[in-house]
């Protein structure tokens, strides 16, 4: 299998969750991290957060306008059935490859591809997996990838964790509609993640599945630099 030419654009989609939550409180931290990482490597990105009451028609119009090489959709486990339906609705409207990721994918692995028309799934940390996919690397050689080969669904081996998390750029919250999030507009609050992974195995928590059991803290200097950036 030959490598594809490098891709250059990705549209991220955050699905609306129909649960007892008071709407969109703050930008999605995981997506903000991936957007910053891709932009740092010359890949253009856009975001549609459907929790801000954007309609499906609005999403399709953004896809048609932006013309991404990939659509990336993050998944929560609560309300996953409606997200599965959204994936199939998107695939019915476009032939652009759709990638799914997030805690639900890391927890259920092949299930999303078995039950939807999504093309690719990324388990655990997505930064380097996405970068290799965008570079056109052969899918069978990309760690952390779950993909289709004809009628088969193939799960590649897990990717090694990012040991030095200080190499990652600060989350690209500026790419979001900040004034439409409750915490950002009313209280000037911004989420900050200071580590990845957890050594414990609590039955109610999926961190060990999504980020692994290796605890990897950021340095104090790196965290303070981010706090200063948002303060200014």
């Amino acid at each position: 299998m030959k490598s594809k030419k490098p891709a250059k654009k990705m549209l991220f989609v955050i699905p609306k969750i129909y649960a007892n939550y008071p709407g969109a409180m703050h930008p999605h931290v995981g997506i903000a991290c991936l957007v910053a990482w891709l932009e740092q490597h010359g890949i253009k990105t856009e975001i549609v957060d459907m929790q801000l009451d954007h309609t499906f028609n609005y999403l399709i119009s953004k896809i048609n306008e932006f013309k991404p090489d990939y659509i990336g959709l993050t998944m929560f486990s609560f309300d996953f059935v409606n997200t599965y339906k959204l994936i199939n609705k998107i695939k019915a409207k476009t032939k652009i490859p759709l990638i799914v990721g997030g805690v639900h994918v890391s927890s259920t692995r092949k299930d999303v591809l078995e039950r939807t028309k999504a093309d690719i799934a990324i388990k655990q940390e997505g930064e380097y997996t996405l970068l290799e996919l965008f570079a056109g690397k052969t899918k069978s050689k990309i760690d952390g990838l779950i993909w289709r080969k004809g009628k088969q669904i193939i799960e590649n081996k897990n990717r090694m964790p990012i040991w030095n998390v200080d190499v990652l750029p600060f989350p690209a919250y500026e790419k979001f509609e900040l004034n439409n999030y409750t915490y950002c507009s009313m209280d000037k609050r911004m989420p900050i993640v200071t580590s990845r992974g957890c050594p414990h195995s609590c039955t109610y928590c999926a961190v060990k599945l999504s980020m692994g059991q290796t605890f990897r803290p950021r340095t104090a200097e790196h965290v303070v630099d981010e706090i200063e950036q948002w303060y200014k």
Side-chain angles (χ1 to χ4, degrees), residues 62-146:
K62 287 292 289 185
I63 293 171
N64 293 334
E65 175 190 329
F66 186 53
K67 296 180 173 59
D69 296 293
Y70 288 102
I71 298 168
L73 188 143
T74 189
M75 280 207 65
F76 308 95
S77 285
F78 34 78
D79 209 34
F80 74 92
V81 173
N82 280 318
T83 306
Y84 282 5
K85 291 176 181 177
L86 174 62
I87 291 169
N88 290 338
K89 281 182 70 177
I90 295 171
K91 288 300 298 178
K93 290 286 186 178
T94 179
K95 294 182 180 179
I96 297 170
L98 191 148
I99 305 169
V100 287
V103 177
H104 183 77
V105 175
S106 296
S107 302
T108 63
R109 305 298 175 102
K110 292 182 179 181
D111 183 77
V112 184
L113 297 193
E114 289 171 346
R115 297 176 62 181
T116 72
K117 295 180 180 179
D119 302 281
I120 299 166
I122 292 177
K123 53 185 175 175
Q124 300 183 316
E125 293 172 299
E127 281 87 356
Y128 284 99
T129 303
L130 269 178
L131 210 57
E132 290 179 5
L133 185 65
F134 267 77
K137 189 173 182 178
T138 303
K139 290 188 179 73
S140 61
K141 297 181 179 179
I142 302 177
D143 294 347
L145 206 69
I146 305 171

Side-chain angles (χ1 to χ4, degrees), residues 161-163 195-200 208 211-217:
I162 299 171
W163 298 108
S195 65
R196 288 188 175 186
C198 178
H200 304 294
K208 60 183 178 290
M211 287 291 174
Q213 289 185 280
T214 305
F215 178 68
R216 295 156 286 139

Side-chain angles (χ1 to χ4, degrees), residues 17-22:
I17 303 301
Y18 296 91
N20 292 325
Y21 287 88

